[in-house]
Every structure is written in C-alpha cells, then in structure tokens.
Amino acid sequence: FESRFDLPHIRDVFPNASPIPSTFCLRMRTPTEDFAGGYPSDEKWHGYINNNDRVLLKVIRYSSPTSAGAECIDPDCTWVEQWVHRAGPREEIYFQPEEVKAAIVTCGGLCPGLNDVIRHIVITLEIYGVKKIVGIPFGYRGFSNEGLTEMPLSRKVVQNIHLSGGSLLGVSRGGPPISDIVDNMEKREINMLFVLGGNGTHAGANAIHNECRKRGLKVAVVGVPKTIDNDILLMDKTFGFDTAVEEAQRAINSAYIEAHSAYHGIGVVKLMGRSSGFIAMHASLASGQIDICLIPEVPFDLHGPHGVLRHLKYLIEMKGSAVVCVAEGAGQDFLEKTNAKDASGNIVLSDIGVHVQQETKKYFKEIGIPADIKYIDPTYMIRACRANASDGILCTVLGQNAVHGAFAGYSGITVGICNTHYVYFPIPEVISYPRAVDPNSRMWHRCLTSTGQPDFI
Ligand code: ATP
Ligand code: MG
C-alpha cells in the first residue's frame, strides 16, 4: 500500500545500498518470560523501531449525529493515509559512522529550544560513533562563499548550551541558491544535514534533498520544525510554543496590572502569530486576564457598532479596565500594505498592535472618556528565552529522532509529535500551508468563553 506519508529513503536512489547493524547502543533490559507484559523469551525483541510501525494521525471517532457531522475517523482519508511512520532508532542503519560528516544549520527567526535540539543532535551522533560534526554559522548563509567557517561540535562544546536561549550557530534569513548550497556541501563533504527552521527552511531542506538526489549524492537531509507559532500541519505541537505561551502570560500579567492600577486603564499586548493565533489563544486561556483576544483566523471590526472599540468602552464602564491580546497577523486588512519583503521573501506585516493602541487612544478622546492605554510587545523577549521543561524534553526527543532518521537512511523528512507519539513526515506533507486555529474548534470557543468577548462583526 502506498501512502503519501511514505518516507523517501536512500535506497530509492541507491537500490544496492546495504544496511549494517546499528551502532546505537539501546541500553534496554533484555526481556524475560516474567517481564511485565510477558514477552516470550524466544521472540526477537530488542527495542528498536520496526520500519513498519505506524502512528494513527487522528484518534477521535465521531458518531452520528455529532458536532463534527462526521461518522468515520477521517472521511477525507483512505485508511493508509491515516497512518504515519514512527520515529526512533532502527536495527539496521545505512551510514557507517566513521564515514559520516554531519552538519547542523539553524535558519529563520529565534525560537526557545534551538540550542536544546542542537545539543541532542550532537550527543546522539556521538553515541552512534560519528566523529565529524560541524555547525554551519548563520543559517543557509553559512553555505555561501562569504568565508564563514564551520564550527566543530562535540559533546564538550554543546554540554551547557541549552542553559541559554538563542542559537549557538546563529540564524539568518535569505542565503545562496540551492545549487550553491549543495556545491558547498560537496566541497565540505557533508553527507548528513540537520536543518532546524520553519516553513521556508523546510522548503529549502526539501530542495537540497532533491538536488542531492539529482546529483546522485548519498546524503540524508533531516529537518526539525521550528515554529514558535505552532503552525506546522499535523503535529501536536512544535518546540518553543509552550515556552512562548508561558512567557506571553507574563507580558499579559504586566499589562493587566498596569491596566488594573490605572484609572480607566487599557492594556494591549501584541503576541507572535503571523498567520495563526495559537500563541494568543493559548496565552489568553492560560492567563485568564484577557478580555479581548484577536487572531488572524477570525475577522473583526474595530470601529463599527459591534466593533472592538465599542466593547472596550463597555468594559471600561462596567469594570474600569480591560486587557486586549492581539496576534501580529490579525486585522491586517485595516493596515496599509507595505509590500516590503524580508531577505527570505516573507511579506513584512504592518504593526497591528500599534494600530490598536492608537485607534483606542483616538476613540476614547473622541467620545470624551479618559483612558490610559499601555502597549506591550514582548516578541523579542519571548523568542530569546531558554526552553522551559516541557519544551526541553520535546527538543531532546526531536533531536535524538532526527539522528535516528538520518541513520535509518531517510532523507527529505522531518520529525514531529503526533498524538503523543514521535513520528517522521515527508517534508512536503507538512509545509504546504500553515496550520491555523479553526474558528469552529472547541478550543477557540473555550477561549471566547474565557474572555467573554462577543463576535466583533
Ligand atoms: P520562521 O518561522 O522564523 O519564519 P522560516 O524557516 O520560515 O522560519 P525564512 O526566513 O522564511 O524562515 O526561511 C529560512 C531560510 O529558508 C532562508 O535562508 C530562505 O532563503 C530559505 N527559504 C525560504 N523559502 C524557501 C523556498 N521556498 N525554497 C528554498 N529555500 C527557501
Ligand atoms: Mg517563515
């Protein structure tokens, strides 16, 4: 059975590539007959992941009639498309550790946990027996001919890097064309590439994977999705998101205190979320201090009779203060399009936070009610944080599984967590468009229940 979740493998290009026994020491206790769960002692059991293991994409079964209006697990999928490949160490590997030169690159913006992932990629590579591990400085730019030198990595180098935020290797946007990147990889004799980044970076990683295939190079390219916005398809969550929500709560709490302590105080907090409002929604839910949450997925009116400003007036009259949380990609229709693009070709958004702040000021002046408006944009403070405990664990497992995937011979894949299990996806399946908050979802309605906000249309 062929599925769109089948993973590209080195064997697709090198049919004669023969595997060797894994050099990764599993350290599992050999099960005996009295082992809990009762593995028969003659059965082969070693703890490695079987290549045929799968994880179910969606685990809910709706009955009819239901709020979801569906009867089967996922009516849009054939059964094979409901299963994705399980991540983890394989019994057979397709690279001799001593022949591996592994490189790690971090691209795009900062995100809590980058150093944790780098660290665990290095540590796991060393456990496999890899001696040549390097970091590429400043994203894909490090593959250009600007003379940026690679950074030798080892357990000693990475031991404490997770104690601070940012990326040991540096990040950047833009960079050389794919063919130059692969030229550079050939020159440096890199045959395992770990790419940490968002949608753009993964599009690049997939193009590098394809170019390597075209050139007949035995190279494994494995991505680790980095999106603080949590907007990657099919995944439970991506690293950095949890930390971002936790830190966003602090900003919300400050805005609340400022608003609450002022006469007719209004706090406005802008949070990350270019195309999806997961951070704003979760931070609002977590803090319990937000009166109005605005996200890109849900259109709203600012000035109209049912608009945000009227509701703010109502809140000020009713309880004397209010706190608004707005995702950066929300309400872009109100703003003048800049048409500007960053080095990676992403459209530069206009600042909705400042706009909401200014319009609120103007509005209260016009209606003759005094209001004290405070604006907080904690974006860079959040992005630069070190990962919290739960992200730390997620990063650890993702880093380890990235290395297992490369040694297993997969390329053009990325790692993720799906229904609490760790999985591999073919890159194109997760980057075709960003994951968004469903305005009909339970979670968004829980958020509305928590803020008490009306529909602003
Ligand atoms: P973030 O979530 O921080 O935006 P990102 O990975 O999407 O992360 P980008 O700046 O968009 O960040 O892209 C990172 C790198 O990927 C850049 O070096 C860019 O040149 C490259 N890139 C972006 N889009 C593509 C593409 N379609 N094909 C090849 N490379 C790409
Ligand atoms: Mg991007």
Side-chain angles (χ1 to χ4, degrees):
F1 298 101
E2 277 182 21
S3 157
R4 65 194 172 101
F5 293 116
D6 285 344
L7 305 173
H9 196 276
I10 296 282
R11 265 187 330 245
D12 305 341
V13 188
F14 302 93
N16 300 328
S18 48
I20 59 165
S22 180
T23 53
F24 182 75
C25 169
L26 259 183
R27 305 228 230 148
M28 288 223 180
R29 283 173 51 198
T30 312
T32 55
E33 253 161 328
D34 59 338
F35 188 77
Y39 292 95
S41 51
D42 57 341
E43 192 176 302
K44 204 173 162 209
W45 188 91
H46 43 47
Y48 289 105
I49 300 291
N50 188 310
N51 281 330
N52 295 319
D53 282 0
R54 296 289 187 279
V55 171
L56 190 55
L57 262 182
K58 291 188 186 169
V59 289
I60 188 163
R61 185 183 172 99
Y62 302 108
S63 41
S64 187
T66 171
S67 54
E71 217 181 354
C72 56
I73 292 176
D74 185 350
D76 298 330
C77 289
T78 61
W79 71 268
V80 301
E81 292 190 342
Q82 316 214 4
W83 300 92
V84 285
H85 287 247
R86 201 172 157 215
R90 304 314 206 237
E91 193 181 9
E92 292 184 326
I93 58 174
Y94 282 80
F95 286 91
Q96 293 274 5
E98 54 274 19
E99 288 168 7
V100 169
K101 178 171 177 188
I104 308 173
V105 63
T106 55
C107 314
L110 289 183
C111 177
L114 280 168
N115 281 336
D116 303 61
V117 179
I118 296 170
R119 181 172 182 267
H120 268 278
I121 290 175
V122 172
I123 289 173
T124 312
L125 283 165
E126 282 198 353
I127 295 174
Y128 270 98
V130 178
K131 297 277 188 292
K132 286 173 279 181
I133 312 170
V134 297
I136 303 298
F138 301 109
Y140 287 140
R141 192 171 179 168
F143 284 118
S144 67
N145 298 322
E146 289 177 51
L148 293 168
T149 45
E150 58 193 34
M151 181 191 294
L153 297 175
S154 63
R155 183 187 265 268
K156 201 171 162 209
V157 173
V158 299
Q159 189 59 38
N160 293 318
I161 62 171
H162 61 305
L163 301 181
S164 66
S167 165
L168 172 75
L169 309 175
V171 292
S172 74
R173 298 196 188 274
I178 297 300
S179 59
D180 290 11
I181 294 178
V182 179
D183 286 349
N184 196 279
M185 283 173 61
E186 279 197 78
K187 203 169 84 191
R188 296 178 191 225
E189 298 179 328
I190 292 164
N191 55 4
M192 249 186 215
L193 179 64
F194 298 96
V195 184
L196 283 54
N199 271 32
T201 306
H202 273 72
N206 203 49
I208 294 170
H209 156 76
N210 285 328
E211 179 67 19
C212 288
R213 284 196 155 188
K214 216 170 83 191
R215 297 189 190 184
L217 304 172
K218 191 188 170 202
V219 173
V221 183
V222 177
V224 182
K226 173 228 65 166
T227 151
I228 202 165
D229 297 350
N230 204 21
D231 58 353
I232 294 247
L233 291 172
L234 305 170
M235 296 184 188
D236 293 359
K237 67 172 175 178
T238 48
F239 74 82
F241 174 70
D242 233 57
T243 309
V245 171
E246 203 167 296
E247 291 302 317
Q249 263 195 103
R250 283 186 224 279
I252 289 174
N253 189 243
S254 302
Y256 175 82
I257 290 169
E258 284 286 349
H260 205 68
S261 308
Y263 177 63
H264 285 183
I266 297 176
V268 178
V269 182
K270 185 181 80 172
L271 294 175
M272 296 83 81
R274 285 179 64 86
S275 50
S276 65
F278 287 106
I279 294 180
M281 175 173 78
H282 282 247
S284 298
L285 273 163
S287 74
Q289 293 176 317
I290 290 295
D291 300 291
I292 300 176
C293 176
L294 304 171
I295 61 171
E297 296 87 338
V298 180
F300 59 90
D301 188 11
L302 215 47
H303 291 277
H306 301 288
V308 171
L309 297 174
R310 280 288 181 94
H311 188 60
L312 274 175
K313 175 173 176 268
Y314 167 79
L315 291 169
I316 290 296
E317 284 166 352
M318 290 301 290
K319 53 180 201 139
S321 67
V323 188
V324 183
C325 165
V326 55
E328 64 176 315
Q332 287 295 308
D333 303 344
F334 303 132
L335 307 168
E336 223 164 286
K337 300 258 178 312
T338 61
N339 285 329
K341 292 194 174 166
D342 68 15
S344 297
N346 304 305
I347 292 165
V348 176
L349 298 180
S350 305
D351 198 327
I352 183 67
V354 171
H355 183 74
V356 169
Q357 176 209 23
Q358 286 171 349
E359 292 304 302
T360 308
K361 244 182 209 165
K362 257 197 273 175
Y363 172 76
F364 279 91
K365 205 169 166 193
E366 271 164 29
I367 60 174
I369 297 178
D372 191 351
I373 297 137
K374 308 268 169 48
Y375 175 56
I376 298 180
D377 179 353
T379 304
Y380 291 115
M381 298 188 72
I382 294 177
R383 293 188 350 166
C385 279
R386 67 171 276 199
N388 69 7
S390 97
D391 273 331
I393 295 171
L394 180 59
C395 290
T396 301
V397 185
L398 293 176
Q400 292 179 352
N401 279 332
V403 176
H404 294 318
F407 266 103
Y410 298 120
S411 179
I413 64 158
T414 193
V415 296
I417 183 165
C418 180
N419 287 319
T420 74
H421 293 281
Y422 293 88
V423 295
Y424 297 132
F425 291 101
I427 290 175
E429 287 302 327
V430 297
I431 59 164
S432 45
Y433 55 92
R435 190 165 80 98
V437 173
D438 177 357
N440 284 319
S441 64
R442 296 266 147 213
M443 213 52 172
W444 178 243
H445 285 275
R446 288 174 190 130
C447 185
L448 296 181
T449 306
S450 145
T451 61
Q453 73 195 65
D455 289 337
F456 296 115
I457 23 172

